[in-house]
Amino acid sequence: GIMGMMPGGGMVANGMQSVMQSLSGASFMVEDVMRHVAVISQSVVALLYAINLVRTELNSRFGGASASASSPPDSSSFFSQLPDELCKHIFSFLDGESLADARLVCRTWNEFACEETHWKRLCLANWRSLETDPHLWPLIDPDVSLSHPNRWRKLYPSVISKEQWRCRLQKTGRFICQLVAHHISGVPVGDYGLPYTLVVERRFNTLHLQTFVLPDQASFLYFEPETDADKEGYEEFIEYLTKRTRAGLALEDQRRFIFIPPCEYAKNTLKYDGPSLLGVVQNAYPPLAP
């Protein structure tokens, strides 16, 4: 697990598997094992060196006067000797800002940095549901088409500009799931963000959302399960609300947190026709009709 997460983790894991296979044989030589370990170590060191070389080059170009004072290695010469696929793999370890800077270095680096798989990885690291919920995309950036060949790269700036919070969703006395809440529109949530625990204490008919929600005072959210383990509780909660045509309500002092399942209000007012849970945060609200 740890090796798979580190740069070159796949190569390390494969190399270690080879070592273990050597160890499991009826006979082996210590020299063979040490040779395997040396190959693995050299692969990791080479990959880390290449990643650092890219970052040093970017820092020398875009990091300011103090950064440019040092003389970086000749990265162009180094990368010209590597296969393109390996270069793209090295670039996959960069963050979004570094990839954007790399695009300005030269035509070749621009090609490596524009690889869609890099930007897809960065987007999904921030917002997992983007891979499974096409109705979410217009909420984040309506100008990015799902059919665009560079849709992930185009969407990324909007993805990272949205605030997000992690919280624990409960009914009274019962845990439901861990959530990630993303701000999609409306007023800012404020310095307090979301409380860590949201307890759904009340429910009301979704028909009342039209008068209950005050658009000029509301923050609109998109909720997704934090991990795969939270998906079952998340979907059961949505099903519970949908079958009863109810929205959920959690309270904290003067703030109200409304959980909106798929319904006419979500579709017609919030322009979302997907399967996920939306939310509203607001302070003031009119009383519900009797």
Side-chain angles (χ1 to χ4, degrees):
I2 294 175
M3 289 182 177
M5 295 170 61
M6 64 183 291
M11 289 186 290
V12 177
N14 292 337
M16 288 303 295
Q17 183 179 10
S18 178
V19 171
M20 294 308 295
Q21 288 172 348
S22 296
L23 290 172
S24 64
S27 62
F28 63 89
M29 299 295 292
V30 173
E31 291 81 1
D32 291 336
V33 177
M34 295 306 296
R35 186 164 57 252
H36 278 299
V37 172
V39 170
I40 296 167
S41 300
Q42 290 169 4
S43 298
V44 174
V45 169
L47 181 59
L48 291 174
Y49 171 79
I51 295 168
N52 184 62
L53 195 61
V54 174
R55 289 173 175 158
T56 301
E57 175 71 22
L58 296 177
N59 196 39
S60 71
R61 290 173 179 262
F62 306 108
S66 60
S68 60
S70 60
S71 299
D74 186 358
S75 57
S76 60
S77 174
F78 177 83
F79 280 94
S80 66
Q81 301 176 50
L82 299 179
D84 285 357
E85 287 306 310
L86 180 55
C87 292
K88 290 177 183 178
H89 180 65
I90 292 168
F91 272 61
S92 73
F93 295 102
L94 300 180
D95 58 24
E97 183 178 357
S98 297
L99 284 173
D101 287 342
R103 294 187 60 207
L104 305 177
V105 172
C106 63
R107 183 177 300 176
T108 302
W109 280 33
N110 176 58
E111 179 184 340
F112 297 154
C114 283
E115 183 72 21
E116 270 292 275
T117 54
H118 304 335
W119 298 99
K120 179 179 179 179
R121 171 183 57 82
L122 291 171
C123 286
L124 295 181
N126 282 275
W127 212 321
R128 300 170 74 234
S129 296
L130 282 167
E131 187 158 36
T132 57
D133 186 359
H135 301 280
L136 167 61
W137 287 60
L139 297 182
I140 300 175
D141 190 338
D143 295 327
V144 177
S145 168
L146 279 166
S147 61
H148 196 286
N150 297 317
R151 57 189 177 278
W152 293 102
R153 176 163 57 87
K154 287 183 171 294
L155 189 69
Y156 178 73
S158 298
V159 168
I160 61 170
S161 71
K162 305 291 187 184
E163 286 190 288
Q164 62 174 250
W165 305 267
R166 281 163 171 73
C167 55
R168 175 186 177 93
L169 180 63
Q170 295 183 188
K171 293 181 186 177
T172 305
R174 179 182 166 229
F175 170 75
I176 299 174
C177 65
Q178 295 288 141
L179 290 174
V180 180
H182 302 268
H183 184 261
I184 51 174
S185 63
V187 303
V189 173
D191 295 337
Y192 294 106
L194 265 64
Y196 178 70
T197 301
L198 289 169
V199 182
V200 179
E201 302 176 18
R202 305 177 189 176
R203 285 152 291 279
F204 60 91
N205 196 295
T206 54
L207 294 175
H208 291 305
L209 286 166
Q210 203 65 52
T211 53
F212 193 85
V213 177
L214 304 176
D216 59 337
Q217 300 180 38
S219 304
F220 296 97
L221 310 176
Y222 179 100
F223 292 106
E224 64 176 347
E226 184 172 2
T227 68
D228 289 340
D230 298 299
K231 189 175 180 181
E232 182 178 356
Y234 173 82
E235 292 178 347
E236 286 179 355
F237 180 64
I238 293 175
E239 183 180 10
Y240 170 85
L241 294 176
T242 303
K243 284 184 175 180
R244 294 163 177 77
T245 63
R246 292 289 187 268
L249 180 64
L251 311 173
E252 185 200 51
D253 297 328
Q254 296 302 312
R255 293 202 297 173
R256 305 296 183 257
F257 304 88
I258 306 169
F259 298 90
I260 305 173
C263 61
E264 289 302 309
Y265 179 84
K267 180 179 179 180
N268 297 328
T269 302
L270 302 183
K271 308 303 180 186
Y272 175 74
D273 195 19
S276 296
L277 188 67
L278 301 186
V280 171
V281 182
Q282 66 182 33
N283 290 330
Y285 66 100
L288 291 177

